[in-house]
Amino acid sequence: MAAGPVWSVDPRTGKPREQVAVEATPQEVDEAVRAAHAARGALADAGARAAFLRTAADLLDEAAAQVVEAADAETALGPGRLTGELARTTGQLRSFADAVDEGSYLDIRIDRADPATAPPRPELRRYKVPLGVVAVYAASNFPLAFSVPGGDTASALAAGCPVVVKAHPDHPATSELCAALLRRAAVATGLPAEVVSVVHGFDSGLELIRHPLVTAAGFTGSIRGGRALFDAASTRPVPIPFHGELGSLNPVVVTEAAAAERAEEIGGGLAGSVTLGVGQFCVKPGLVLVPEGAAGDRLAGALAKALGETGPGVLLDHRMRENFVAGVRERAALPGVDAPVTPGSGGEHTVGAGYLSVPARTLIEGGPYELLLEECFGPVTVLARYAGQGEAAAVLGRLPGNLTATLQLSAAEADGGPGPAAELISQVTTLAGRVVVNSWPTGVAVAPAQHHGGPYPAATSHSTSVGGTAIERWLRPVAYQSVPDALLPPELREANPLGLPRRVTGDRA
């Protein structure tokens, strides 16, 4: 079968802009993976890796106007949002370069031999080595930070793993532009360009996950697509780790005291979080537990006002727009579900923001209302009005894993010790990878303590795709027992020629 053309499409009009590439054939995927595998030795030089990552960041910054223009033309996310996303992308490239220089990600541990223990302990030296070629599946909603130059690529390269990216069809021109800049950076720092490559096409994604030289994969996308790739990774003759970020409802609980204290503030903040990026953030609040009564009514009124003042927006592509409109319509048609501000079609190419409202006890009953506990990608959320914390806790008990869970507490609850707020913290900790209090989950800081993941289906592993520890996904530990110093890797030699941080047990004063 002939490879099909890959078109860049304007989501504002639905019209093709230009043909960017052609879909990769199985032979071309094989060639890309084999070239990456052959280049992996060049990444063993930590200094070269760090220089590569910094040069890539510099080149992306120098081409900022071109990169932002290309991404906006393909995603309609807007220059302001994309300028910020580019800064985040280059910032995380530089932060991983700093991590490579610092070296603690290698987790070097040395246990001195101790013949006095029972049984006697031999000399052991342990560190981490790169896995090999990593397949990265780019995200639709972050054409930079979670795509070709994004966190999966940056962390894998920092670990010493070459990368083959399966580009997302929503932004192929942006992907090609960023790939060219990364490959230019590689050559400029003495590395083979093949340490990063890009392939296009649905079938190429399947070929990648099945390729015997691919050793791990990173994915950000839908539950359906991610689960299919996860299953393929698990059923290979040699299974490989698949670090997938799939779907998330990101529940919010507003306590009765918080609603009474600042209903209007919470309602306005919620509207801003739900509509940020036209509701296309993976951490958008999709279910909000709000108390019944006057305070909850005030919150709902503030939310309705703010959403009503939000203009229509363009989603990433027309398929997503159709899925959003159909998903909202199906949810709104359930008995007992109200749509105080009706979300859905805002025009031929746009969507309007809104919210649905339902009694919380309906969600406890399940049945067709399970649909309201599934992510709906776009600017909509569900307000579940609860009567008492027990009812709110029962709804939380029905939820699957999430990326985030948010609590809106009163000042007194936030300052208190054991009590209802502490119980809520405990319950949502079992549900989510990040717990937020009196803020909103949209916006994921790139920081050492960040965790972007969560119990399934939020993610398929317990790792993070954001922050310094994301590098750990692409490494495996190796221990050396009683190996002569001259035969050890430089990282483990007694003289510590690379000056790396290490933990040593058994030293005697």
Side-chain angles (χ1 to χ4, degrees):
M1 184 181 295
V6 176
W7 288 88
S8 173
V9 177
D10 183 349
R12 295 179 172 96
T13 65
K15 295 180 180 178
R17 299 175 57 248
E18 60 176 329
Q19 182 179 340
V20 173
V22 294
E23 296 177 343
T25 64
Q27 180 180 346
E28 289 168 335
V29 173
D30 178 64
E31 290 171 353
V33 174
R34 291 187 181 280
H37 180 73
R40 71 194 189 285
L43 287 173
D45 184 334
R49 293 205 309 276
F52 167 37
L53 293 169
R54 292 192 178 98
T55 302
D58 291 343
L59 291 180
L60 284 163
D61 281 340
E62 290 171 13
Q66 185 182 3
V67 171
V68 168
E69 181 181 12
D72 181 52
E74 294 186 307
T75 66
L77 288 172
R81 148 71 195 274
L82 290 165
T83 298
E85 186 180 333
L86 179 58
R88 168 192 170 144
T89 302
T90 57
Q92 66 187 1
L93 283 163
R94 293 186 178 101
S95 71
F96 279 116
D98 292 342
V100 172
D101 285 342
E102 190 270 337
S104 62
Y105 73 97
L106 293 170
D107 194 22
I108 297 174
R109 299 167 184 253
I110 297 174
D111 291 332
R112 303 292 189 199
D114 188 349
T117 62
R121 184 177 70 208
E123 173 118 334
L124 291 166
R125 294 174 181 247
R126 179 184 187 271
Y127 81 141
K128 293 182 178 179
V129 298
L131 293 176
V133 179
V134 169
V136 169
Y137 294 81
S140 63
N141 55 341
F142 283 85
L144 305 173
F146 281 86
S147 294
V148 173
D152 283 351
T153 298
S155 58
L157 291 169
C161 296
V163 172
V164 180
V165 183
K166 190 275 181 189
H168 197 280
D170 279 352
H171 36 79
T174 307
S175 298
E176 285 291 330
L177 172 58
C178 292
L181 292 168
L182 291 183
R183 290 166 70 87
R184 201 173 115 203
V187 172
T189 50
L191 296 174
E194 291 78 14
V195 295
V196 179
S197 58
V198 169
V199 295
H200 298 268
F202 176 83
D203 289 342
S204 70
L206 297 176
E207 293 291 336
L208 262 183
I209 203 69
R210 294 168 180 157
H211 198 288
L213 294 180
V214 168
T215 61
F219 171 90
T220 301
S222 68
I223 293 178
R224 180 179 178 184
R227 182 55 194 252
L229 290 170
F230 173 74
D231 289 346
S234 301
T235 56
R236 290 170 32 134
V238 178
I240 60 172
F242 182 85
H243 301 287
E245 179 200 316
L246 310 186
S248 185
L249 194 61
N250 306 302
V252 177
V253 181
V254 182
T255 66
E256 295 184 41
E261 187 174 270
R262 49 192 179 89
E264 289 76 14
E265 176 190 332
I266 295 172
L270 174 60
S273 189
V274 168
T275 59
L276 187 65
V278 201
Q280 296 172 113
F281 277 47
C282 50
V283 289
K284 178 206 74 177
L287 175 70
V288 187
L289 288 155
V290 175
E292 295 178 348
D297 291 345
R298 284 169 40 222
L299 188 157
L303 173 64
K305 181 177 184 296
L307 291 176
E309 294 171 351
T310 302
V314 177
L315 295 185
L316 292 162
D317 62 41
H318 279 57
R319 176 186 57 82
M320 290 184 187
R321 179 188 175 279
E322 291 166 4
N323 288 342
F324 172 73
V325 172
V328 166
R329 184 186 302 119
E330 185 178 5
R331 288 163 172 80
L334 292 170
V337 174
D338 295 324
V341 180
T342 304
S345 177
E348 184 180 359
H349 305 293
T350 59
V351 296
Y355 79 94
L356 306 176
S357 183
V358 65
R361 59 184 174 276
T362 303
L363 301 181
I364 300 169
E365 296 168 4
Y369 297 94
E370 294 285 347
L371 183 63
L372 297 173
L373 303 181
E374 297 177 8
E375 180 183 20
C376 186
F377 196 69
V380 64
T381 193
V382 175
L383 257 62
R385 304 297 299 271
Y386 68 88
Q389 185 165 325
E391 198 166 271
V395 173
L396 292 174
R398 293 188 58 81
L399 300 185
N402 287 270
L403 294 170
T404 71
T406 298
L407 303 181
Q408 295 292 340
L409 308 176
S410 69
E413 288 172 324
D415 290 340
E423 293 172 9
L424 280 172
I425 288 279
S426 178
Q427 184 172 17
V428 298
T429 295
T430 67
L431 291 176
R434 177 162 57 104
V435 175
V436 180
V437 173
N438 289 352
S439 184
W440 298 102
T442 37
V444 184
V446 180
Q450 184 60 272
H451 185 82
H452 189 61
Y456 185 85
T460 59
S461 72
H462 298 306
S463 302
T464 179
S465 60
V466 179
T469 54
I471 196 173
E472 295 173 1
R473 297 173 295 169
W474 320 119
L475 299 162
R476 68 176 180 87
V478 178
Y480 293 82
Q481 178 176 325
S482 304
V483 175
D485 193 71
L487 299 180
L488 287 168
E491 292 87 350
L492 296 179
R493 290 177 187 165
E494 184 64 23
N496 195 10
L498 303 179
L500 296 169
R502 48 175 62 180
R503 281 179 276 187
V504 182
T505 60
D507 273 345
R508 290 179 173 82

